[in-house]
Amino acid sequence: MGAGILQLFGQQLKLFRLRAGLDRAQFGALTGYSASTIASFEQGRRIPPPKFIDRADDVLDARGVLKAGKRPVAQAQYPAFFRDAARLEGEAVELCSYETHIIKGLLQTEEYMRALLDMRRPLLDEATIEQRVAARLARQEIFSRRPVPLLSFVMEEYVLTRALGGPAVRRGQLEQLLLIGEKRNVEIQVMPRDREDNAGVDGPFTVLTPQGGDQVAYMEVQGKSTLVTDREEVRALSARYGIIRAQALTPRESLAYIEKLLGEL
């Protein structure tokens, strides 16, 4: 399915380019890409990043047609096990996430993303890394989407103190958390490691509420995913998340703690 979406988008891109009377080199010069890269986009061999799609739509006067393809194109970049969750995430009016090992993808900086993907074993090839980075960055449009969704993130303190990627990557990630945490529709909370009670001992999960639909939950481990739709199971996870939030530091306390960690670097 992903390859078909890319080929369709590539055909549309080519038609708009030809209508504008531009060859690939001319179009590439206007968008900041080489002619060979433009050819790869048009032939569906390479996934165009969101910033290229925005620029191409403007340059070619596509009137939003190409921009409308951003989400399907981004979907094609996700690993197969994550595509359903990515679609639901893009439609959610509320998202609640509990993490125990790494920063949630929606909150990651590009440098943190690359550091994590470089650590994968077996090793990922460069093209796959580029695709997954572009896909995660595209997901972060959720923060500026209208109407704005309500977003809640609880993460274990351990996640913030890990040195993944080195000091510079960690500094940039902490700074990003502070910036995102100031958004009115976002709450970031930290679960201290010294809590004697922690309802999240079974591991990370995400609860998503779609517009006009039933809540679902998503869990992922070792490249395997579970999409939970049973109402009783989702209800239990939602209740568990509420307890986790109550046990964690408040959003204000959490941002103050992140700021303290940043000052210690």
Side-chain angles (χ1 to χ4, degrees), residues 1-3 5-6 47 50 69-91 105-106 113 117 120 127-142 218 220 223 225:
M1 182 180 73
I5 291 171
L6 293 178
I47 300 175
K70 275 201 299 186
R71 183 176 294 177
V73 166
Q75 292 275 341
Q77 302 174 82
Y78 301 128
F81 67 82
F82 185 67
R83 285 176 187 160
D84 286 342
R87 175 182 56 80
L88 291 167
E89 182 183 88
E91 300 169 354
L106 287 174
M113 294 175 194
L117 293 169
R120 292 288 179 87
T128 299
I129 290 175
E130 290 303 317
Q131 289 176 9
R132 295 194 181 181
V133 166
R136 289 188 193 180
L137 290 174
R139 287 169 58 202
Q140 293 180 359
E141 291 187 359
I142 193 171
Y218 176 79
E220 179 185 322
S225 65

Side-chain angles (χ1 to χ4, degrees), residues 83-128:
R83 285 176 187 160
D84 286 342
R87 175 182 56 80
L88 291 167
E89 182 183 88
E91 300 169 354
V93 295
E94 184 176 358
L95 179 148
C96 300
S97 169
Y98 171 62
E99 288 292 338
T100 60
H101 291 82
I102 61 172
I103 302 292
K104 178 76 171 175
L106 287 174
L107 300 171
Q108 293 173 8
T109 64
E110 182 173 345
E111 293 75 19
Y112 187 90
M113 294 175 194
R114 292 185 184 280
L116 292 182
L117 293 169
D118 280 339
M119 295 175 201
R120 292 288 179 87
R121 297 296 186 273
L123 293 170
L124 298 175
D125 59 70
E126 289 301 319
T128 299

